[in-house]
Amino acid sequence: MTSTPTRHIKAAVVRQKGGPFEIDTLRLEEPRPDEILVRVVATGMCHTDMVARDQLYTVPMPVVLGHEGAGVVELVGSHVKKLRPGDHVVLTYMWCGHCKPCLNGDLTYCANFYALNFGGAREDGSTATYDARGSVHDHFFGQSSFGTFTLAHERNAVKVPTTAPLELLGPLGCGIQTGAGAVMNALKVGPGSSFAAFGGGAVGLSAVMAARVAGATTIIAADVVPSRLALAKELGATHTVNSRETDPVEAVRKITGGGADFSLESSGRPAVLRQAIDALAIRGTCGIVGAPALGTEASFDVNGVMTAGKRIIGIIEGDSVPDLFIPSLVELHQQGRFPFDKLVKFYDLDQINQAAEDSEKGITIKPIVRLAQSAG
């Protein structure tokens, strides 16, 4: 147990591989000097939450997951400079700030990324959350926001305008910025180019919206769910391909006259990655953002990649610098140019297992779990 002052919160805890999420009353420490206490208004549910729940990525249990939080700053530690109580924030991934990639500005490739985001504790190994039996692992992505209150570091909290709809903004912290950033920051899709999204979930559809903003003139969405393909057209896709009915590689080549300048694989399936690579034009680039189980391997035609000068790049969190990129996405949304609200459906905290099930079945593209009404 701890002698540090604590407060009671409600949170969803995963206690065993595969879940379920169990709603429990926990105790949460007050913030340390470099931390902030956030009253969580709502949290997006991401594929990575289920990856951790099911132990495809090893995360210590019991654990409070949740990594797309949005809320209001309640308290700030004595060393916090960029935020103050009352600020609206989106919580995002955590980085250490002192390794070589961080010092180079490559925050998403932090040398300590896995430990800080999947280690279930602060960088010093401590936790801040407790139940009647003792410590509960937290600090998932530096936040563990499936709770009515959470602690975050000032590094992974991004101030957003109070004029923006706060309960909607949490997914910008991971899934939405991953898809949009892959297009805008990593692939650097430009005006007049062709882009193909392999996978029509939240990440893929965010990439479609970003490609439209970036000025791509041919935007292709490939998926197996007709409703997702219809939504892709609404969000900016010029063409859609049902991969269950049509060979997507042949379809992309036909639509583009030889292959796409850029492709993005977001399903996490090796066979789909191969399609995304094969569908590229000469000198085309394929970005990988899908997260399969650790150790998953994929194959491609070496000569097909080499002789066509193709590139394959891994992308984490959209190569985003969150303090700059997330406010830009908020502004684009407020201008009506990035309508990611069309992806979401809201659930209450006690419906979190239904939200997970609906997400895995493809019923809901981006669930958002409301927590504000449970706060206290």
Side-chain angles (χ1 to χ4, degrees), residues 152-302:
H153 196 283
E154 70 170 330
R155 276 200 298 273
N156 71 312
V158 179
K159 185 177 178 179
V160 292
T162 56
T163 55
L166 187 57
E167 71 173 6
L168 180 66
L169 302 184
L172 295 177
C174 184
I176 305 297
Q177 84 170 347
T178 293
V183 167
M184 295 175 166
N185 303 327
L187 296 175
K188 300 187 186 304
V189 173
S193 59
S194 56
F195 169 76
F198 283 77
V203 174
L205 292 176
S206 297
V208 165
M209 288 185 282
R212 185 181 189 181
V213 171
T217 47
T218 303
I219 303 172
I220 305 164
D223 200 274
V224 297
V225 181
S227 60
R228 290 186 175 190
L229 295 174
L231 181 57
K233 290 280 283 189
E234 185 179 342
L235 296 174
T238 58
H239 302 78
T240 59
V241 178
N242 188 320
S243 302
R244 187 167 286 154
E245 300 174 352
T246 305
D247 181 336
V249 175
E250 291 184 4
V252 170
R253 287 174 176 170
K254 182 177 180 180
I255 292 166
T256 58
D261 298 318
F262 304 96
S263 66
L264 187 70
E265 200 295 302
S266 61
S267 75
R269 298 180 179 182
V272 179
L273 174 59
R274 174 64 185 266
Q275 294 171 345
I277 296 168
D278 289 348
L280 289 173
I282 293 173
R283 300 288 288 170
T285 303
C286 173
I288 306 173
V289 294
L294 293 176
T296 299
E297 296 184 357
S299 64
F300 56 86
D301 181 343
V302 174

Side-chain angles (χ1 to χ4, degrees), residues 11-364:
V13 184
V14 177
R15 300 188 182 277
Q16 60 187 5
K17 179 180 179 180
F21 294 94
E22 299 177 10
I23 309 303
D24 201 352
T25 298
L26 308 175
R27 289 183 297 115
L28 179 69
E29 292 180 1
E30 297 297 277
R32 291 182 175 184
D34 57 0
E35 293 179 330
I36 62 172
L37 177 72
V38 177
R39 175 173 58 84
V40 181
V41 170
T43 302
M45 177 171 278
C46 178
H47 171 66
T48 307
D49 291 307
M50 272 72 88
V51 165
R53 178 200 64 187
D54 298 340
Q55 294 289 283
L56 299 180
Y57 283 14
T58 303
V59 177
M61 293 183 173
V63 63
V64 178
L65 300 175
H67 65 287
E68 293 183 342
V72 180
V73 177
E74 291 279 313
L75 293 172
V76 301
S78 58
H79 295 172
V80 173
K81 293 181 173 61
K82 77 175 186 180
L83 297 166
R84 63 183 61 185
D87 284 345
H88 289 193
V89 292
V90 167
L91 304 179
T92 186
Y93 66 89
M94 186 59 173
W95 67 98
C96 75
H98 54 75
C99 68
K100 185 175 180 179
C102 284
L103 294 175
N104 280 332
D106 297 324
L107 309 182
T108 62
Y109 304 101
C110 170
N112 300 298
F113 188 93
Y114 194 92
L116 291 173
N117 291 282
F118 294 93
R122 297 182 177 98
E123 189 170 9
D124 65 4
S126 64
T127 59
T129 307
Y130 306 84
D131 64 11
R133 288 166 280 188
S135 297
V136 175
H137 292 284
D138 56 12
H139 287 78
F140 183 66
F141 276 70
Q143 56 183 282
S144 288
S145 52
F146 283 155
T148 51
F149 287 87
T150 191
L151 291 181
H153 196 283
E154 70 170 330
R155 276 200 298 273
N156 71 312
V158 179
K159 185 177 178 179
V160 292
T162 56
T163 55
L166 187 57
E167 71 173 6
L168 180 66
L169 302 184
L172 295 177
C174 184
I176 305 297
Q177 84 170 347
T178 293
V183 167
M184 295 175 166
N185 303 327
L187 296 175
K188 300 187 186 304
V189 173
S193 59
S194 56
F195 169 76
F198 283 77
V203 174
L205 292 176
S206 297
V208 165
M209 288 185 282
R212 185 181 189 181
V213 171
T217 47
T218 303
I219 303 172
I220 305 164
D223 200 274
V224 297
V225 181
S227 60
R228 290 186 175 190
L229 295 174
L231 181 57
K233 290 280 283 189
E234 185 179 342
L235 296 174
T238 58
H239 302 78
T240 59
V241 178
N242 188 320
S243 302
R244 187 167 286 154
E245 300 174 352
T246 305
D247 181 336
V249 175
E250 291 184 4
V252 170
R253 287 174 176 170
K254 182 177 180 180
I255 292 166
T256 58
D261 298 318
F262 304 96
S263 66
L264 187 70
E265 200 295 302
S266 61
S267 75
R269 298 180 179 182
V272 179
L273 174 59
R274 174 64 185 266
Q275 294 171 345
I277 296 168
D278 289 348
L280 289 173
I282 293 173
R283 300 288 288 170
T285 303
C286 173
I288 306 173
V289 294
L294 293 176
T296 299
E297 296 184 357
S299 64
F300 56 86
D301 181 343
V302 174
N303 285 301
V305 170
M306 179 180 66
T307 59
K310 296 179 181 181
R311 291 180 295 165
I312 305 166
I313 62 173
I315 304 169
I316 296 293
E317 296 287 347
D319 283 8
S320 167
V321 177
D323 280 310
L324 300 176
F325 193 56
I326 289 175
S328 296
L329 294 180
V330 173
E331 186 170 359
L332 284 168
H333 177 263
Q334 290 182 304
Q335 292 175 1
R337 299 166 62 196
F338 192 76
F340 72 93
D341 54 291
K342 295 182 179 180
L343 308 181
V344 313
K345 179 180 177 181
F346 289 96
Y347 298 78
D348 292 333
L349 179 58
D350 61 5
Q351 298 173 308
I352 190 169
N353 288 296
Q354 186 65 53
E357 182 180 342
D358 289 353
S359 175
E360 292 177 302
K361 289 183 176 179
I363 296 170
T364 301

